[in-house]
Amino acid sequence: MVYPVIWKDNSVSLIDQTRLPNEYTVVEIHRSEDMAQAITTMIVRGAPAIGVAAAYGMYLGAREIETSDSEVLLQEDRHEFLVKLEQVAKLLRSTRPTAVNLFWAIGRMMQTAYETLGTVAEIKQALLETAKKINAEDLQTCQAIGDHGLAALPKNPEQLIILTHCNAGALATAGYGTALGVVRSAWKEGRLARVYADETRPRLQGAKLTAWECVQEGIPVTVITDNMAAHCMKQGLIDAVVVGADRIAANGDAANKIGTYSLAIVAKAHNIPFFVAAPLSTVDFELIDGSQIPIEERHPQEIYQIGETILTPPGVEFYNPAFDVTPAHLITAIITENGAFPPGDLLNAKNAKISN
């Protein structure tokens, strides 16, 4: 299994996901500005992984802030430090508007900074420890999601064929994955026959990243174009759909990579269960429904060019939303670290986390 974000030797090592599957490259990040660029350009991607990366980015930014070296905490030092740290947070928040884990992780880091007593050096150390906790917790969360997802999958047939969209695997998290975490748990327990991976236009994360992860672990995988899903379902090739999410509203509406909504519609038409796998940190309880989720629109070059090849004639216009929102009524269950819940029952999932 791969780990896309690793703290090592006082810097952050990121797998450059823009170069996979042809080239495995690790990028070393030493500054918050470089982390912001890595998130924007999708060197690191996937909502949970972005959250982990942003947490480390907050520490890198804090490390760069210079104040007096006095062992006594001076109020002016503390105030100056927090003001500058808020600027680091602002930079990182500006990178990807849809993935709520980004904002959640930054908020947790800022809370650590405000609540930690002691010198500025002690605050910086507390920030590093919090980032490491966010990293470790996400890995544990994904493993729990995988196990709960396994329990939620259909009991028949004995070995399932699961369709997934985009990449919600180890590369999109601290490790193990959300949607692919369910796949991994099913594979380990002998319940998985094969994964069908949508290619996921326009950036092809399914064809490039999900397929790459499956090949690394010997999981049988078949790549299909996005517009083949309905045909495969009609042919009886798909037993369940499992996808990830970048933000989920309180009512269970879920934003995920563009194309997820249409996949949910055709799954409903063929009576195939449709699951969303995501940590509770992806649920934005401040949003009533999915209409309030901001949708990132990316550069049209992602549509009209692959490598050096231009796909479209001059003069055409483009629309490139990175995400769409699947209404809650199309979702069978949302699989979290506390179990699988009907979309309208997320408050109970939240309360279960508090009670734990």
Side-chain angles (χ1 to χ4, degrees):
M1 186 169 62
V2 295
Y3 301 94
V5 185
I6 297 177
W7 176 258
K8 182 181 179 182
D9 298 331
N10 290 317
S11 66
V12 184
S13 297
L14 300 178
I15 296 174
D16 187 346
Q17 299 186 39
T18 65
R19 295 182 177 274
L20 290 173
N22 297 323
E23 182 182 339
Y24 183 94
T25 303
V26 175
V27 178
E28 300 297 332
I29 304 294
H30 299 271
R31 305 185 310 142
S32 57
E33 292 88 349
D34 296 334
M35 183 63 80
Q37 182 69 7
I39 294 172
T40 300
T41 58
M42 298 179 71
I43 287 174
V44 60
R45 44 143 301 279
I50 289 172
V52 173
Y56 284 124
M58 287 291 293
Y59 168 70
L60 294 176
R63 190 173 65 180
E64 298 164 3
I65 299 172
E66 295 183 2
T67 59
S68 74
D69 294 329
S70 172
E71 293 183 2
V72 178
L73 178 63
L74 301 177
Q75 287 304 315
E76 54 265 33
D77 282 347
R78 180 182 180 86
H79 176 73
E80 178 187 358
F81 174 78
L82 292 174
V83 168
K84 292 181 178 179
L85 190 63
E86 288 283 7
Q87 292 302 309
V88 176
K90 182 179 179 181
L91 171 67
L92 290 166
R93 288 190 188 105
S94 69
T95 55
R96 301 291 303 275
T98 302
V100 74
N101 303 67
L102 171 75
F103 301 92
W104 171 84
I106 293 170
R108 184 167 167 185
M109 293 292 283
M110 288 304 307
Q111 182 180 6
T112 294
Y114 278 104
E115 292 182 352
T116 300
L117 302 178
T119 65
V120 169
E122 288 170 332
I123 298 173
K124 292 178 180 180
Q125 184 60 34
L127 287 170
L128 177 58
E129 294 306 316
T130 298
K132 289 179 178 179
K133 287 180 182 177
I134 290 172
N135 194 339
E137 289 168 3
D138 187 70
L139 181 57
Q140 294 172 351
T141 291
C142 288
Q143 291 170 337
I145 288 172
D147 293 341
H148 288 303
L150 174 62
L153 289 173
K155 304 306 177 187
N156 291 307
E158 184 175 339
Q159 285 196 318
L160 300 168
I161 300 175
I162 296 175
L163 172 65
T164 190
H165 188 71
C166 195
N167 173 263
L171 289 168
T173 64
Y176 203 74
T178 54
L180 277 191
V182 177
V183 167
R184 281 187 168 89
S185 292
W187 177 247
K188 288 193 300 184
E189 295 298 320
R191 298 264 359 257
L192 181 72
R194 177 168 295 273
V195 175
Y196 272 65
D198 280 348
E199 62 175 353
T200 319
R201 282 280 292 151
R203 292 188 64 93
L204 303 172
Q205 296 99 323
K208 292 181 177 180
L209 305 181
T210 294
W212 182 82
E213 284 196 44
C214 289
V215 168
Q216 300 308 301
E217 299 188 30
I219 298 174
V221 59
T222 298
V223 174
I224 60 173
T225 63
D226 296 351
N227 55 2
M228 292 179 184
H231 172 76
C232 292
M233 291 180 187
K234 186 177 181 180
Q235 298 300 313
L237 298 177
I238 309 299
D239 299 307
V241 180
V242 185
V243 300
D246 286 77
R247 187 179 300 212
I248 302 172
N251 73 331
D253 293 348
N256 192 50
K257 188 57 57 182
I258 192 74
T260 304
Y261 178 25
S262 56
L263 191 60
I265 291 173
V266 295
K268 188 77 169 181
H270 292 87
N271 295 313
I272 293 171
F274 184 94
F275 298 97
V276 172
L280 284 167
S281 59
T282 302
V283 182
D284 190 343
F285 287 98
E286 295 184 2
L287 302 187
I288 297 174
D289 58 43
S291 67
Q292 298 175 305
I293 298 176
I295 300 298
E296 175 186 5
E297 187 170 346
R298 295 186 60 81
H299 196 280
Q301 184 178 9
E302 294 181 347
I303 296 178
Y304 68 70
Q305 185 172 353
I306 296 180
E308 299 299 320
T309 303
I310 304 298
L311 304 176
T312 59
V316 301
E317 297 182 0
F318 300 91
Y319 176 48
N320 188 22
F323 305 93
D324 56 26
V325 178
T326 299
H329 69 86
L330 296 176
I331 300 172
T332 305
I334 295 176
I335 305 165
T336 74
E337 64 267 38
N338 285 346
F341 295 83
D345 203 22
L346 287 174
L347 189 57
N348 283 335
K350 179 182 179 182
N351 292 337
K353 182 174 184 178
I354 293 173
S355 65
N356 289 341

PDB file of all heavy atoms in Angstrom, residues 200 273 314 321 325:
ATOM      1  N   THR A 200     -12.774   8.364 -15.670  1.00  0.00           N
ATOM      2  CA  THR A 200     -12.966   9.639 -14.970  1.00  0.00           C
ATOM      3  C   THR A 200     -12.324  10.810 -15.719  1.00  0.00           C
ATOM      4  O   THR A 200     -11.285  11.338 -15.349  1.00  0.00           O
ATOM      5  CB  THR A 200     -12.430   9.591 -13.521  1.00  0.00           C
ATOM      6  OG1 THR A 200     -12.771   8.337 -12.921  1.00  0.00           O
ATOM      7  CG2 THR A 200     -13.047  10.712 -12.702  1.00  0.00           C
ATOM      8  N   PRO A 273     -27.096  -0.994  -5.646  1.00  0.00           N
ATOM      9  CA  PRO A 273     -26.807  -0.128  -4.503  1.00  0.00           C
ATOM     10  C   PRO A 273     -25.648   0.816  -4.793  1.00  0.00           C
ATOM     11  O   PRO A 273     -24.657   0.430  -5.412  1.00  0.00           O
ATOM     12  CB  PRO A 273     -26.473  -1.106  -3.381  1.00  0.00           C
ATOM     13  CG  PRO A 273     -26.116  -2.388  -4.063  1.00  0.00           C
ATOM     14  CD  PRO A 273     -26.913  -2.426  -5.327  1.00  0.00           C
ATOM     15  N   PRO A 314     -10.067  24.948 -32.898  1.00  0.00           N
ATOM     16  CA  PRO A 314      -9.997  26.313 -32.362  1.00  0.00           C
ATOM     17  C   PRO A 314     -11.365  26.977 -32.347  1.00  0.00           C
ATOM     18  O   PRO A 314     -12.225  26.687 -33.186  1.00  0.00           O
ATOM     19  CB  PRO A 314      -9.054  27.020 -33.352  1.00  0.00           C
ATOM     20  CG  PRO A 314      -8.311  25.932 -34.052  1.00  0.00           C
ATOM     21  CD  PRO A 314      -9.249  24.764 -34.097  1.00  0.00           C
ATOM     22  N   PRO A 321     -16.441  22.029 -14.674  1.00  0.00           N
ATOM     23  CA  PRO A 321     -16.608  21.856 -13.230  1.00  0.00           C
ATOM     24  C   PRO A 321     -15.928  20.574 -12.775  1.00  0.00           C
ATOM     25  O   PRO A 321     -16.047  19.532 -13.421  1.00  0.00           O
ATOM     26  CB  PRO A 321     -18.139  21.770 -13.068  1.00  0.00           C
ATOM     27  CG  PRO A 321     -18.620  21.232 -14.385  1.00  0.00           C
ATOM     28  CD  PRO A 321     -17.685  21.778 -15.419  1.00  0.00           C
ATOM     29  N   VAL A 325     -22.888  17.174  -7.610  1.00  0.00           N
ATOM     30  CA  VAL A 325     -23.526  16.821  -6.339  1.00  0.00           C
ATOM     31  C   VAL A 325     -24.570  15.745  -6.591  1.00  0.00           C
ATOM     32  O   VAL A 325     -25.496  15.932  -7.389  1.00  0.00           O
ATOM     33  CB  VAL A 325     -24.172  18.046  -5.666  1.00  0.00           C
ATOM     34  CG1 VAL A 325     -24.876  17.633  -4.374  1.00  0.00           C
ATOM     35  CG2 VAL A 325     -23.107  19.110  -5.366  1.00  0.00           C
TER      36      VAL A 325
END
